[in-house]
């Protein structure tokens, strides 16, 4: 009977679980239908980089890296970078749209985890690893459902990435599409105003 259980488990694993997992991993939506965001982990923060309305990520250069003012080393002289938006520990997303997060790490292995989205993926130095999901409940709806007006989706680092690991927390705010577009428009306005100050 133990052999029968082992055979049944093997059939379930090889016949169902592995093909279903492979289909889910290989079934990434086309970037043209998704919001693509780069998230770069570092000790001890999450740097978020949106490509802006042109949908092109601007060039980065390690020589431009400044932990306070430019933690990603974004080269604003690159035309593709002119409309790029960056945030620290804040990931804003539209509801009911596929999201492709391109994960990176500047230093050690981090792990991007948002339990409510059932997402967890390691970020490994030297690699860009895509992970995708569709958030289907806005932050406002979740606050109403839980009865907690301060509720936030949290990005937790699930790797012991150093002595400050405990404080490596980011937050995801899921907005309806109009709210998300308003947020992005406000960020674009801030970029244009900062260009005028230079």
């Amino acid at each position: 009977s133990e052999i029968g259980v082992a055979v049944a488990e093997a059939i379930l694993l090889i016949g169902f679980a592995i093909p279903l997992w492979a289909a889910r991993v290989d079934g990434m939506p086309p970037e043209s239908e998704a919001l693509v965001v780069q998230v770069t982990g570092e000790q001890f923060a999450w740097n978020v980089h949106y490509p802006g309305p042109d949908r092109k990520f601007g060039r980065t250069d390690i020589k431009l890296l400044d932990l306070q003012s430019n933690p990603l080393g974004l080269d604003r002289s690159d035309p593709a970078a002119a409309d790029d938006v960056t945030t620290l520990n804040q990931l804003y997303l539209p509801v009911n749209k596929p999201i492709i997060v391109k994960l990176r790490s500047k230093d050690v292995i981090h792990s991007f985890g948002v339990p409510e989205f059932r997402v967890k993926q390691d970020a490994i130095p030297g690699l860009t690893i895509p992970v995708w999901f569709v958030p289907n409940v806005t932050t406002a709806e979740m606050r109403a459902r839980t009865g907690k007006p301060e509720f936030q989706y949290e990005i937790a680092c699930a790797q012991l990435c150093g002595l400050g690991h405990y404080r490596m927390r980011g937050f995801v705010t899921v907005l309806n599409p109009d709210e998300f577009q308003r947020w992005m428009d406000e960020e674009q306005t801030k970029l244009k105003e900062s260009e005028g100050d230079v």
Side-chain angles (χ1 to χ4, degrees), residues 66-86:
D66 181 289
L67 291 180
Q68 298 303 314
S69 64
N70 192 0
L72 293 171
L74 188 59
D75 182 359
R76 290 287 180 187
S77 69
D78 174 20
D83 62 352
D84 287 12
V85 171
T86 60

Side-chain angles (χ1 to χ4, degrees), residues 119-180:
V119 170
K120 185 174 165 188
Q121 175 62 54
D122 284 353
I124 300 169
L127 297 177
T128 298
I129 302 171
V131 61
W132 77 277
F133 54 93
V134 178
N136 58 13
V137 180
T138 67
T139 299
E141 289 171 322
M142 200 62 160
R143 287 174 177 169
R145 285 184 188 183
T146 61
K148 297 177 182 173
E150 72 288 344
F151 173 85
Q152 279 285 169
Y153 292 110
E154 185 175 325
I155 304 169
C157 182
Q159 285 286 351
L160 295 175
C161 59
L163 292 175
H165 163 73
Y166 69 93
R167 70 174 186 262
M168 187 167 174
R169 298 172 61 204
F171 300 95
V172 181
T173 303
V174 180
L175 304 166
N176 69 47
D178 292 341
E179 290 172 327
F180 178 78

Side-chain angles (χ1 to χ4, degrees), residues 14 28 38 41 43 46 58 89 92 94 100-101 126 148 153 192:
I14 295 166
M28 188 167 296
Q38 289 180 352
Q43 293 175 310
W46 297 104
N89 294 322
Y92 293 89
I100 298 174
V101 173
K148 297 177 182 173
Y153 292 110
K192 288 177 183 142

